[in-house]
Amino acid sequence: MSKKPPVPAENQSPYPIEEPPHDHSQDNETLAVVREIAAAKQRRAGPNARQLGIGAAVGIGSAAIVAGLLFWRGNRKDGK
């Protein structure tokens, strides 16, 4: 026996009282799109620390090569 009082058919709500069970599978379409957007945002985030370090090393190395070429005196015979 239930503890709810009987409700006449004309007074019953057309909307369900309880929510139907949801499918909580991890393979739904919305979750896949959200993960794809997050991955794209990660790629567009900009350079990471490793990329900045490599760029700084290349810049310093190229500056050293240019300075070496500018100040190179070549093979001088006069001894200066």
Side-chain angles (χ1 to χ4, degrees), residues 4 21 38 54 58 69 80:
K4 289 198 256 180
I54 291 171
V58 168
L69 289 174
K80 288 186 176 181

Side-chain angles (χ1 to χ4, degrees), residues 30-79:
T30 306
L31 189 58
V33 170
V34 168
R35 284 185 181 153
E36 185 178 327
I37 290 172
K41 193 180 288 187
Q42 178 85 17
R43 286 191 305 266
R44 287 192 309 260
N48 57 15
R50 183 176 181 201
Q51 291 172 334
L52 289 175
I54 291 171
V58 168
I60 291 171
S62 62
I65 291 171
V66 169
L69 289 174
L70 285 175
F71 294 110
W72 179 57
R73 295 176 181 236
N75 294 331
R76 291 193 168 193
K77 293 186 180 184
D78 58 356

Side-chain angles (χ1 to χ4, degrees), residues 1-8 12:
M1 179 171 230
S2 86
K3 296 188 178 195
K4 289 198 256 180
V7 179
Q12 288 183 356

Side-chain angles (χ1 to χ4, degrees), residues 22-32 35:
H22 296 285
D23 181 23
H24 293 290
S25 68
Q26 295 298 325
D27 298 333
N28 63 7
E29 194 175 314
T30 306
L31 189 58
R35 284 185 181 153

